[in-house]
């Protein structure tokens, strides 16, 4: 049986029909997880034609993973302008599709949902929250409040009518976007965390440390990860006499604006944007050089970057959104958008070596819950349930 999978990510597609992604976490290995249960994956995603793979990008398709490219639109306006072409591609994809999995929220997945026959089984994988995506400060658009309500209600309908629902959080997304009472429901992160991603021991106290390196990992395509909040908090800390550096891993349209903000604050030599790194090893190198991981996001599902940092024994500070409270203790979180609270939290943590050591040990232990062996069994059970329900439905269509 084949499975049609939709996702919001954007890809490149070369003339040989291979998909490429700048994000290693969405490479071929990630999509091949569906092959544990299905015979072939039809990947319905936005893809921009390229003569050759962009430098440093990762292969996303291959044996068993068949790309079904959609026009490479961007944003709500781009979706509206390309709606007819996108809908045509969706309908064509559904002709040969058997099982349906939609990674949501996603415009493409929403369009697939609207084109499905009544009573057709489908699975949803909820990886984000529109309520936080369109929160004040996270998304700049005059229609932001309308988008927030619309996309929340849409995702609620998608989940309420799904045959099976999987969430990246254990509790938080389920409360806002509940599945139907009779639906199969589970939770698993989409992270791929092999044993090699873990350090062997937590960090020891460093009582004589005077300079501290902070690291954050996240896209700069929008301000979801609150880089401006972090830069402003660092400015307060530096003004108070702390010697801090920041490494930001990730790229996007707001990179230049955030670089300009750092320069305007006099932090040009303290804040380094290293862009999108090509491999997990390259990201791990940056994590291992840092003393503290900070991600004050406006919105999250369950941030994989957090779990990867915890697996390296890093003390972590985050905001109280999405699944972050499932990862961190309350005393290591701050409200989203609160610059003063974040600055005070950073100061309190880096000036307390024993606290940093306790955070390191606790985070390393917590990350063990997300090792691949633990999550794979839940994924297979979820995929298998959707496949079984789809097989039964297909039999009714042949009568």
């Amino acid at each position: 049986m084949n499975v049609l999978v939709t996702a919001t990510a954007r890809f490149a597609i070369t003339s040989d029909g291979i998909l490429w992604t700048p994000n290693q976490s969405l490479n071929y290995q990630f999509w091949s997880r569906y092959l544990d249960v299905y015979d072939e994956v039809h990947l319905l995603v936005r893809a921009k034609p390229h003569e050759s793979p962009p430098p440093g990008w990762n292969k996303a398709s291959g044996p068993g993973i068949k790309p079904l490219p959609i026009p490479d639109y961007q944003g709500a306006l781009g979706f509206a302008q390309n709606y007819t072409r996108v809908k045509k591609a969706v309908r064509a994809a559904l002709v040969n599709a058997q099982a349906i999995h939609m990674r949501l929220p996603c415009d493409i997945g929403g369009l697939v949902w609207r084109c499905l026959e009544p009573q057709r089984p489908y699975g949803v994988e909820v990886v984000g929250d529109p309520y936080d995506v369109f929160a004040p400060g996270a998304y700049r658009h005059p229609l932001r409040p309308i988008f927030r309500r619309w996309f929340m209600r849409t995702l609620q309908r998608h989940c309420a009518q799904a045959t099976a629902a999987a969430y990246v959080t254990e509790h938080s997304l389920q409360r806002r976007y509940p599945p139907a009472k009779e639906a199969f429901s589970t939770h698993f992160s989409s992270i791929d965390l092999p044993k090699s991603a873990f350090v062997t021991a937590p960090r020891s106290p460093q009582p004589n440390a005077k300079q501290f390196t902070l690291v954050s990992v996240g896209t700069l395509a929008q301000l979801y990860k609150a880089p401006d909040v972090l830069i402003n908090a660092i400015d307060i800390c530096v003004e108070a006499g702390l010697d801090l550096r920041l490494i930001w891993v990730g790229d996007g349209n707001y990179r230049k604006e955030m670089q300009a903000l750092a320069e305007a604050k006099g932090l040009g030599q303290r804040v380094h944007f290293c862009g999108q790194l090509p491999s997990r090893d390259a990201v791990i190198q940056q994590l291992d050089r840092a003393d503290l991981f900070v991600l004050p996001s406006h919105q999250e599902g369950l941030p994989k970057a957090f779990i990867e940092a915890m697996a390296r024994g890093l003390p972590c500070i985050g905001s109280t959104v999405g699944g972050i409270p499932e990862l961190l203790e309350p005393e290591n979180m701050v409200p989203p958008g609160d610059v003063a609270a974040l600055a005070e939290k950073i100061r309190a943590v880096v000036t307390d070596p024993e606290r940093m050591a306790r955070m390191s040990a606790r985070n390393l232990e917590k990350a063990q819950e997300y090792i691949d062996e633990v999550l794979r069994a839940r994924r297979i059970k979820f995929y298998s349930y959707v496949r079984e329900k789809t097989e039964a439905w297909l039999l009714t269509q042949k009568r």
Side-chain angles (χ1 to χ4, degrees), residues 146-205:
I146 296 174
F147 289 161
R148 194 185 206 187
R149 290 192 297 271
W150 172 266
F151 286 108
M152 274 187 65
R153 291 170 182 169
T154 298
L155 184 53
Q156 286 166 348
R157 290 196 297 271
H158 293 164
C159 293
Q161 298 177 26
T163 306
Y167 301 80
V168 293
T169 62
E170 187 174 358
H171 303 294
S172 62
L173 288 169
Q174 289 89 326
R175 285 192 287 264
R176 193 167 282 162
Y177 308 100
K181 290 182 179 180
E182 68 276 12
F184 175 86
S185 180
T186 187
H187 68 94
F188 51 81
S189 169
S190 56
I191 192 169
D192 171 25
L193 204 62
K195 291 181 179 179
S196 61
F198 289 79
V199 293
T200 56
R203 300 185 177 205
S204 302

Side-chain angles (χ1 to χ4, degrees), residues 36-64:
D36 286 336
V37 170
Y38 295 105
D39 303 306
E40 188 173 62
V41 178
H42 296 174
L43 195 53
L44 186 64
V45 294
R46 292 174 291 175
K48 185 176 182 179
H50 283 248
E51 287 296 323
S52 58
W57 284 36
N58 305 275
K59 187 180 290 188
S61 63

Side-chain angles (χ1 to χ4, degrees), residues 302-319:
L302 190 78
K304 291 183 285 186
F306 248 113
I307 302 171
E308 290 173 341
M310 294 166 73
R312 305 309 294 177
L314 263 175
C316 299
I317 293 173
S319 54

